[in-house]
Amino acid sequence: MFESLFNRSKSEASNFKRFDEYLDISGMEEIRDVLAGLKADDKYAYLSNHEGILDGEFKSITTKHPYSSIIANVKTGLSDAMFSSDLIQFMNFRAVYELIWLSIESEEKRGLSSEEINRIIESDLPFKLTIGLDEYPMVNDFDILDVWFFKRMAGLSFDKRAMRLNSLLCKECLNDLNDELGIYFMTFNSLAFAAEYFTACFALRDDRDEMNCDDVVKAWLLMLNLFLSDIKPLIF
């Protein structure tokens, strides 16, 4: 589905010792190796020139948007309150669009035009990913994305080990990867929030109300693949 990304340099992987206790989880070693190579990745380094989120673009969505009814379901089901205690919120859903935006802009090494951003905002890719995740090409029906789907997502929780792993992945990136490159914290948050959204989707796909370590790892692999691959053909 995506080009192979996990043959990148492992020269810095030994610096990620805090991941060792999670190497029993399938895919964790691949995540560690990719994170270890991100400092030398030109596409990731481009993010040091990026600042901003797709906030106003969502506030301006009207009924003319091709998927306005689904987005209305998301807004009803997921909290957009600043101090909500829900683990998965509207900002996580919005971050999937931001992930796509950041991936394409970093691939092009230039700012995207308003028309290009509108194409991202009006894309069905976030809904395909919500339902199909790493098997998204097979999705062509979005009926499952009703208000109840997103209300159930809002009620998800992490098991204790998964919560520690998710926190470690975020803090590892924030503290060890972004400081050196000077990446704006909201830009990184878009990637981390998108990974959390996919984590919730994996749990729901297995009909569970608790997110586990397998969900976290699969979600981060999906997020990293989407960011590091050339996904322009999926949008334009």
Side-chain angles (χ1 to χ4, degrees):
M1 181 185 312
F2 296 107
E3 63 179 300
S4 176
L5 299 169
F6 302 122
N7 57 357
R8 295 167 184 266
S9 172
K10 299 184 180 182
S11 60
E12 296 186 25
S14 60
N15 295 331
F16 289 74
K17 291 295 186 182
R18 282 173 283 179
F19 289 125
D20 287 357
E21 66 177 288
Y22 299 99
L23 293 181
D24 60 302
I25 305 167
S26 177
M28 190 66 238
E29 186 172 356
E30 287 88 343
I31 290 178
R32 182 197 62 185
D33 294 342
V34 172
L35 293 178
L38 279 182
K39 284 183 182 179
D41 189 281
D42 290 342
K43 190 169 183 179
Y44 191 80
Y46 178 83
L47 295 184
S48 62
N49 299 315
H50 193 282
E51 185 170 324
I53 57 175
L54 296 175
D55 189 24
E57 289 80 359
F58 275 89
K59 290 179 178 177
S60 63
I61 285 177
T62 68
T63 55
K64 294 182 180 180
H65 186 282
Y67 299 101
S68 59
S69 61
I70 300 178
I71 292 176
N73 291 339
V74 181
K75 289 183 175 179
T76 301
L78 297 181
S79 174
D80 199 19
M82 183 177 297
F83 299 109
S84 172
S85 60
D86 294 342
L87 292 178
I88 307 299
Q89 302 178 36
F90 185 79
M91 64 184 179
N92 294 96
F93 169 75
R94 187 184 65 200
V96 178
Y97 291 85
E98 293 167 353
L99 165 63
I100 296 168
W101 172 37
L102 293 171
S103 176
I104 293 175
E105 185 166 304
S106 298
E107 188 73 28
E108 292 291 285
K109 301 293 191 296
R110 63 172 176 81
L112 300 186
S113 67
S114 296
E115 181 180 352
E116 289 170 319
I117 292 176
N118 285 337
R119 291 282 293 275
I120 292 171
I121 295 296
E122 295 182 355
S123 167
D124 65 357
L125 181 57
F127 308 119
K128 286 178 175 288
L129 289 164
T130 296
I131 299 171
L133 295 162
D134 48 359
E135 298 177 350
Y136 73 89
M138 296 185 292
V139 175
N140 51 32
D141 184 347
F142 303 139
D143 287 348
I144 192 176
L145 300 179
D146 56 13
V147 172
W148 168 244
F149 179 93
F150 294 103
K151 282 186 176 294
R152 186 178 176 193
M153 180 182 287
L156 293 177
S157 61
F158 282 107
D159 71 31
K160 289 184 179 180
R161 193 181 188 213
M163 182 176 290
R164 291 196 301 272
L165 175 58
N166 185 68
S167 177
L168 175 59
L169 282 163
C170 294
K171 290 179 179 178
E172 190 79 36
C173 292
L174 282 171
N175 295 334
D176 296 342
L177 295 177
N178 296 345
D179 286 350
E180 182 174 329
L181 295 175
I183 293 176
Y184 182 50
F185 78 98
M186 285 304 298
T187 298
F188 170 79
N189 282 350
S190 294
L191 304 183
F193 289 160
E196 287 182 341
Y197 181 82
F198 294 144
T199 302
C201 293
F202 274 111
L204 290 179
R205 188 168 75 173
D206 289 346
D207 197 27
R208 286 182 281 102
D209 293 327
E210 192 171 63
M211 297 175 282
N212 60 33
C213 285
D214 285 334
D215 298 327
V216 173
V217 170
K218 288 186 289 188
W220 275 77
L221 286 174
L222 177 58
M223 182 275 288
L224 289 167
N225 261 312
L226 286 165
F227 175 73
L228 293 170
S229 298
D230 180 4
I231 61 173
K232 295 193 300 294
L234 303 177
I235 302 296
F236 306 125

